[in-house]
Amino acid sequence: MISSIAELISDRIGTMPAGERRAAQTLIANYPLIGLKTVAEFSTAAGVSSPTILRFVARLGFQNYPEFQSALQDELAAQLQSPATRTLNPASSGGAVSPMLEATLDNMRETFRHLSERQLADIAATLAHRRGKTFLIGGRFTDPLARYMAAHLAIVQPDVHHLAGQEGIWRDRLIDMGKRDVLVIFDIRRYQDSLVRFAETAHQRGVHIVLFTDQWLSPIARFARHVIAGRTAVPSAWDSSAALFVVAETLIGAVTRQLETDGAKRIRELESLR
Amino acid sequence: MISSIAELISDRIGTMPAGERRAAQTLIANYPLIGLKTVAEFSTAAGVSSPTILRFVARLGFQNYPEFQSALQDELAAQLQSPATRTLNPASSGGAVSPMLEATLDNMRETFRHLSERQLADIAATLAHRRGKTFLIGGRFTDPLARYMAAHLAIVQPDVHHLAGQEGIWRDRLIDMGKRDVLVIFDIRRYQDSLVRFAETAHQRGVHIVLFTDQWLSPIARFARHVIAGRTAVPSAWDSSAALFVVAETLIGAVTRQLETDGAKRIRELESLR
DNA sequence: CAAAATACGTAACATACGATACAGCGCTCC
DNA sequence: GGAGCGCTGTATCGTATGTTACGTATTTTG
């Protein structure tokens, strides 16, 4: 049963030629407003010609463009009148996707439920402290999160370093770390010995450790000043780092806000350098 | 301060003559969809003539009818993009954290709403196809997502490569890519020219491109066989990649499931190697 | 009550929009 | 390698749409 036009499109998008598929993709991406504009606007937005748009709507089964627009409008009208239908897409329930999504959303809510405003503010303040350097490192699967965070933090403040490469390389960087510095570690199961040893040494040197881990807590929690425990369970063969990712983004935003005055200047400078 | 057109109308409805007032009332009653239809339809719905409708929109301060319609569409677009503002939850507001979380959760729901089960299955099948090689690459901030995905995919199947380092390095890898290969690209605003050029060349070589981008669609969408448009808007100085991250995790899970038999053997082998 | 001003609709107009014919191009399949 | 097919863009056409001018109706004001 096909109820919405969006479903109709995603149902047939596979059988469409390249140009019409572009049309379909842009419509889905800006659903449904692009479809309410003129053919010319739609076509330029999709990067194709007007006839391709018309062929696209014809393939969907509409006699002409106005009829297609009317259908979109009717759908919109129904949505606007009953907001409940928006939140739940009946077609997508039942499949293998929504359990994954639902679990992820639950993980995030749970993660943030155990995370107070104050904790986050403290960590953000720690990260925004410009006295010392900031180092970030992660495990096998979480190192990309460290990179992601480092890429953003490095823009709003100086002395942000992501520790990459072989173990020997970042172990040597310990010599640069001291009491005023912050080390952000991502470590979820299965916890990596190398990271634990690294954290221990850093801790002995007085480094301020911020740990992102799962709800079972990496052994590094012993040495950490701040611990963020994210939920990771999802119906998949893998654990999910999504909740930690969102916490990281939240902190990035908070740090940026705290460094607003200096950060803005820095961002402008960087822009001009590009 | 007048923000929405509806407010503008209710502000001036008192000073309007009878005919225009009827126009105003019917617009409010079916807000805003009647305003997106033609002048003729609007006029018959309101029981007045077309010129009255035009005088009505002129009184609201618009130069012409299309301009009025554009304003309505922009307003609608803003509403549809951030459902949070519509179903504003007063209990959860207050701190700086929950708006961020709420927006992120909304982004994910919206992203998946525009993503059909079938599309994801198609993409998963593409990624699980073991005939060719899989390459992953990302932009300035999204490259960690590419790494994350690569780290997982590389475990369940061979020939998975993350393209890192300087532009020249991965440009040279193009020589290894052909029709049976898949290139996964992450590119959100501001889109990187180097990636676009890279994608174009890969496309010319017949490489199957899977694009992760934002709702405004990277220009790479032109060359992509599959496009995933994630919502990125959050109350922060940065765009959020969290929705794309979750889609990536979902795909990782789906691919792993598809390769279950072979993948499981592979995973055991890898375990024994550690 | 009269006269003026405002409001409204009918009808003609011009523009811009959607539709279509056609040619070029790439792709696939002999 | 060649023939056929399908896809896509350019250019043209007809028309539906928004716009405007003008005459009539209605209200307002002295």
Side-chain angles (χ1 to χ4, degrees):
Chain A
M1 174 60 190
I2 304 247
S3 53
S4 80
I5 297 176
E7 289 176 49
L8 184 69
I9 293 170
S10 53
D11 188 53
R12 305 199 185 171
I13 197 169
T15 70
M16 293 182 186
E20 300 180 26
R21 198 162 43 216
R22 285 211 288 271
Q25 283 159 352
T26 49
L27 176 57
I28 295 290
N30 311 50
Y31 194 80
L33 275 167
I34 277 282
L36 297 180
K37 296 186 186 290
T38 66
V39 174
E41 286 178 280
F42 190 171
S43 66
T44 54
V48 297
S49 68
S50 322
T52 301
I53 300 295
L54 296 175
R55 282 189 282 264
F56 162 66
V57 303
R59 191 181 296 266
L60 292 180
F62 298 99
Q63 293 300 324
N64 48 29
Y65 195 70
E67 182 181 309
F68 162 71
Q69 289 191 316
S70 298
L72 281 180
Q73 286 183 358
D74 292 348
E75 201 176 295
L76 240 179
Q79 273 189 21
L80 291 173
Q81 279 175 13
S82 60
T85 57
R86 296 192 66 256
T87 49
L88 187 70
N89 186 353
S92 69
S93 61
V97 170
S98 50
M100 185 83 181
L101 175 61
E102 288 305 321
T104 305
L105 296 179
D106 280 343
N107 280 340
M108 289 175 191
R109 286 196 211 92
E110 273 302 301
T111 302
F112 274 87
R113 223 164 59 78
H114 297 311
L115 212 58
S116 74
E117 196 85 27
R118 185 194 202 108
Q119 274 178 282
L120 282 167
D122 282 355
I123 300 175
T126 302
L127 291 173
H129 214 267
R130 281 143 305 170
R131 289 292 189 74
K133 302 180 282 291
T134 306
F135 299 90
L136 298 99
I137 193 171
R140 193 164 166 218
F141 296 124
T142 48
D143 194 56
L145 303 196
R147 281 180 190 270
Y148 186 80
M149 201 164 176
H152 286 86
L153 291 183
I155 289 181
V156 292
Q157 60 185 348
D159 281 327
V160 173
H161 309 280
H162 172 252
L163 301 174
Q166 296 175 341
E167 182 175 353
I169 293 176
W170 37 264
R171 281 201 74 84
D172 289 347
R173 299 295 298 276
L174 276 168
I175 198 150
D176 299 329
M177 305 186 196
K179 299 192 178 180
R180 349 202 77 175
D181 300 327
V182 179
L183 174 60
V184 180
I185 307 183
F186 291 79
D187 189 34
I188 64 176
R189 289 192 309 180
R190 306 169 34 174
Y191 313 115
Q192 286 180 226
D193 286 343
S194 56
L195 278 181
V196 179
R197 287 194 301 271
F198 185 73
E200 184 168 10
T201 320
H203 173 66
Q204 285 163 3
R205 294 181 65 88
V207 179
H208 192 129
I209 294 182
V210 176
L211 173 68
F212 285 70
T213 183
D214 53 31
Q215 67 212 78
W216 299 281
L217 299 192
S218 155
I220 296 177
R222 296 179 56 88
F223 316 119
R225 195 88 63 94
H226 295 285
V227 176
I228 292 158
R231 303 280 165 149
T232 57
V234 281
S236 164
W238 309 97
D239 281 339
S240 164
S241 304
L244 290 178
F245 189 89
V246 174
V247 176
E249 277 195 339
T250 305
L251 280 174
I252 290 168
V255 171
T256 306
R257 211 173 307 120
Q258 285 202 17
L259 295 174
E260 202 155 357
T261 44
D262 301 6
K265 205 181 77 190
R266 220 179 127 79
I267 290 177
R268 273 196 305 276
E269 270 185 49
L270 284 171
E271 289 281 335
S272 68
L273 283 176
R274 305 193 77 196
Chain B
M1 177 58 194
I2 304 249
S3 53
S4 80
I5 297 176
E7 289 179 48
L8 185 68
I9 292 170
S10 56
D11 188 52
R12 303 197 187 172
I13 196 170
T15 71
M16 291 182 186
E20 300 181 26
R21 195 175 314 150
R22 289 178 65 181
Q25 282 161 349
T26 49
L27 177 57
I28 297 287
N30 316 47
Y31 192 82
L33 276 168
I34 275 283
L36 297 180
K37 297 184 185 290
T38 67
V39 175
E41 286 180 280
F42 191 172
S43 65
T44 55
V48 296
S49 69
S50 321
T52 302
I53 299 295
L54 296 175
R55 281 188 282 265
F56 162 66
V57 303
R59 193 183 296 267
L60 291 179
F62 298 99
Q63 295 296 323
N64 47 29
Y65 195 69
E67 183 180 309
F68 163 71
Q69 289 190 317
S70 298
L72 281 181
Q73 285 185 359
D74 291 347
E75 203 177 293
L76 241 178
Q79 269 191 26
L80 291 173
Q81 279 179 18
S82 60
T85 55
R86 299 183 63 249
T87 49
L88 192 62
N89 185 356
S92 68
S93 61
V97 170
S98 43
M100 185 85 179
L101 176 62
E102 290 301 323
T104 304
L105 295 179
D106 281 337
N107 281 340
M108 290 174 189
R109 284 196 212 95
E110 276 298 304
T111 301
F112 275 87
R113 221 164 63 79
H114 295 322
L115 215 57
S116 76
E117 196 84 29
R118 183 191 205 115
Q119 276 177 281
L120 284 167
D122 282 354
I123 300 175
T126 302
L127 290 173
H129 214 268
R130 282 142 303 167
R131 288 292 188 77
K133 302 179 283 290
T134 306
F135 298 90
L136 299 99
I137 193 172
R140 193 163 166 219
F141 296 123
T142 47
D143 195 55
L145 302 197
R147 282 180 188 271
Y148 186 79
M149 202 164 175
H152 286 86
L153 291 183
I155 290 181
V156 290
Q157 58 185 351
D159 279 326
V160 173
H161 308 280
H162 172 253
L163 301 174
Q166 295 178 340
E167 182 175 352
I169 294 176
W170 36 266
R171 279 201 76 83
D172 290 346
R173 299 296 298 276
L174 276 168
I175 199 153
D176 298 330
M177 305 187 195
K179 297 192 178 181
R180 349 203 76 176
D181 300 328
V182 179
L183 173 61
V184 181
I185 308 183
F186 291 78
D187 189 34
I188 65 174
R189 289 191 309 180
R190 311 165 31 173
Y191 313 115
Q192 284 178 227
D193 285 342
S194 55
L195 278 180
V196 178
R197 286 194 302 270
F198 186 72
E200 184 169 10
T201 322
H203 172 66
Q204 284 164 2
R205 293 182 66 91
V207 179
H208 193 130
I209 295 182
V210 176
L211 173 69
F212 285 70
T213 184
D214 52 32
Q215 69 212 75
W216 298 281
L217 297 193
S218 156
I220 297 176
R222 295 183 60 88
F223 316 118
R225 196 87 64 94
H226 295 287
V227 176
I228 291 157
R231 303 279 162 155
T232 57
V234 282
S236 163
W238 309 98
D239 281 340
S240 164
S241 303
L244 290 177
F245 188 89
V246 175
V247 176
E249 278 195 340
T250 306
L251 281 174
I252 291 168
V255 171
T256 306
R257 211 172 309 119
Q258 285 202 15
L259 295 174
E260 203 156 354
T261 44
D262 302 6
K265 206 181 76 188
R266 217 179 130 79
I267 290 179
R268 274 197 304 275
E269 272 186 48
L270 283 170
E271 289 283 337
S272 69
L273 283 175
R274 304 193 77 198

